[in-house]
Amino acid sequence: MFKDAMKIERLLDGLQKNKDWKPFPGIEVRDRWADVAEDPALKMPVAAIIAVADRLLDEEIDPLTGTMYMNFMTNGDRTFYEESYFRRRYELSHLVIAECLTARGKYLPKIIDYLWEILGEVSWCVPAHNFAGQHDMVMFKRANPWKEDDPLPVPGDDYLDLFACETAATLAETCYLLRHTLLETVPSLYHRIHSEIDRRALQLLEGPKLYGWYLGRNNWTAWCSHNLLLAACYTVEDEQRLVSLALKLMVPMQRFFDTIEPSGACIEGPGYWVVSAGRLAGFVSLVEERFGVSLNAADNEKFRNFGQHILPLNIGGNLFVNFADGGLMLDLDQGLLSRYAGLIGSEQLASLVSEDIDRLAARKLANPGRARGRNDYARQFLVHLTRLLFWTPENRNAVPRTCDKSVWLADMQMMIARSDERPGTGLMLSAIAGSNDPEVNHHSHNDVGHFSVYLDGKPMIIDLGQGAYSRATFTETRYDMWHISSKGHNVPSVNELLQYAGAGAAARDVDYRHDGASSVLSLDAGPAYFSEPGSRRIQRRITFSHAAAEIRVDDEITLGEPLRRFMLPLHVSDRKITVQEDGSCRIAGENRTLVITPENLRVADVEAVEITDPRHLDVWGGRIFRICLAPADLATPRFGLTMHVE
């Protein structure tokens, strides 16, 4: 996609023709900011930004201490440092936009203090990304020369990670938007920021060090590349240097685009699609608008498919199918994804983004304060707020969203089936064949054959999804965590064997069929249980009958030896569960009930599972339930479940 743009003369010529590039109005362009403030479509987000900024005026800036940084290496915790780190940038971003909207100097002293504190941070790289061997994207990082487990970063050897790049972009856009005010009041600070962006980000990019995201394997590439190119476009005046930086970044971006499957599927999960797709759209826009090079994005089928990948994954509202390290509840990168919708002419994507804008603004208005606890601050940094205000109005619409009743994402081996084409209505199923090989997806869970069920837009039989990341999350102990292990998924244990992770641990004989009346996914999960499965088979067949709104799950076990033990867990959100005399199980929804009828299975137990993980608490509350299904007759190794709605 970027290959044709990698021509020095074209980029230099484009820069000459776009000398007056101004992607957004600076604070001094009062009529443009007045238009934003008075736009009815932006009333709620503008009010939310002002509310957050006002609350900050009497608050102290979160401290970031050396011992907080040490937590990651000493006890594996990364959230305590990261929350304060992210919140600093989140709060600065709201203060900057509030000052641009009002231009009264009300927020300027606080902005200066935040800028001063961020410039004073010893490292812009978060601890989880600044130590050799601690994360699969921290490749090529040299070990500490003095002490391998030293919990503080090596001087002069910071890694150019996601958030060092994000910090550079946030500060660069702050200087761009507030240039008039900062140069008039504190020019030394303005120039110091430019100097630090150059030293801590752009010079590292130009240097000899290698970074894992250069390989283009996942969301890191798009995220880092967009932020660095944005920072460079704002701060680098030398045209040849700017072109050189752009060329260097286009190489990993082309690698990243090459890894996207033709269908546009994002195997990392919807949360990582949000980042990848949004930053890809932002990078494309920078290349086209700053350098005057048309990439013909709308004509690229893979680009169009990638942009619309999220649509069938929408359960309803802000809930999305959350396989692997996916999060059930997502805040969208609204401005960047709105630009993506515009680039490919997708009214459905534009509508999804439009629905998300007022939802998120209402949440912030209801709670603009700073109570500690998980918050997706990175979705609301300055890069997002500015584009929310200037890029979303062009795509605000109320086109009714619809989804195909049956979708097969072949590259991910995922089936999505619905009884109603309207998201948030009726019975919905997601089921995956897939692979447990972390080389296929470093966010993978042991979930070959897993399925989830939703009723009227709410999760009933669930996938816990992404937990709070810690030092252990991306180490060899990752699969010991119960929510990542197959014991945390709706797949059986066979003769007390759980699924394993590694090469070859993947479904075989995968088949998807849809004839209009029903959708069927069949697979053999045997290779996920046995490194040498041979003729041993753990066959699962999942059938969704669209008109009847009925789901059927059949498991058949062939081991070449007696089946001694079989247990099938079903993980259920916090709902009333009733086991009937006939053996059926009723799960209460908000207005209707999901009825599960087992065959050759009986409900052995319904146990409450206490939730302690901070991310899971935020999504699922303090508990979920596990329905444990045991065989009625082990001698007949065929088991079934039928689910319908009453």
Side-chain angles (χ1 to χ4, degrees), residues 98-115:
E99 184 60 28
C100 287
L101 287 165
T102 58
R104 300 190 190 115
K106 176 180 179 180
Y107 306 100
L108 185 58
K110 204 71 176 180
I111 290 169
I112 291 171
D113 285 344
Y114 273 88
L115 292 171

Side-chain angles (χ1 to χ4, degrees), residues 147-164:
K147 187 175 185 291
E148 185 177 353
D149 60 348
D150 186 339
L152 290 174
V154 175
D157 192 34
D158 280 349
Y159 202 73
L160 195 55
D161 81 320
L162 295 174
F163 300 109

Side-chain angles (χ1 to χ4, degrees), residues 293-461:
V293 176
S294 176
L295 297 175
N296 300 310
D299 298 330
N300 189 301
E301 183 178 5
K302 184 162 69 171
F303 185 78
R304 293 199 310 274
N305 290 343
F306 190 57
Q308 298 182 94
H309 167 69
I310 195 73
L311 297 174
L313 301 179
N314 183 230
I315 301 163
N318 69 323
L319 304 184
F320 294 83
V321 174
N322 62 316
F323 49 87
D325 270 347
L328 179 76
M329 299 177 181
L330 295 184
D331 292 343
L332 300 180
D333 290 357
Q334 296 158 347
L336 290 164
L337 293 177
S338 181
R339 176 53 56 95
Y340 208 136
L343 287 169
I344 62 175
S346 174
E347 292 186 337
Q348 292 280 299
L349 180 57
S351 186
L352 179 67
V353 173
S354 295
E355 293 170 8
D356 196 60
I357 290 172
D358 285 348
R359 177 199 62 78
L360 181 55
R363 190 181 78 192
K364 284 203 291 188
L365 280 168
N367 183 24
R370 309 172 72 199
R372 265 194 113 75
R374 180 185 172 266
N375 194 329
D376 205 352
Y377 293 115
R379 299 279 74 75
Q380 292 287 296
F381 289 163
L382 188 57
V383 168
H384 303 293
L385 296 184
T386 311
R387 285 148 193 80
L388 162 66
L389 299 182
F390 289 98
W391 284 3
T392 62
E394 63 195 43
N395 289 316
R396 289 298 289 265
N397 62 62
V399 174
R401 286 194 302 109
T402 59
C403 294
D404 291 340
K405 287 189 176 181
S406 184
V407 173
W408 174 240
L409 302 173
D411 301 312
M412 303 169 59
Q413 297 185 330
M414 170 172 281
M415 179 176 79
I416 299 170
R418 307 169 185 266
S419 64
D420 196 297
E421 65 181 5
R422 296 167 296 172
T425 304
L427 188 67
M428 176 180 168
L429 164 79
S430 65
I432 192 166
S435 169
N436 297 342
D437 185 352
E439 289 299 315
V440 174
N441 175 17
H442 71 299
H443 289 290
S444 70
H445 289 193
N446 287 350
D447 60 357
V448 170
H450 171 80
F451 67 92
S452 297
V453 178
Y454 320 90
L455 179 58
D456 296 328
K458 303 298 181 185
M460 304 291 280
I461 299 175

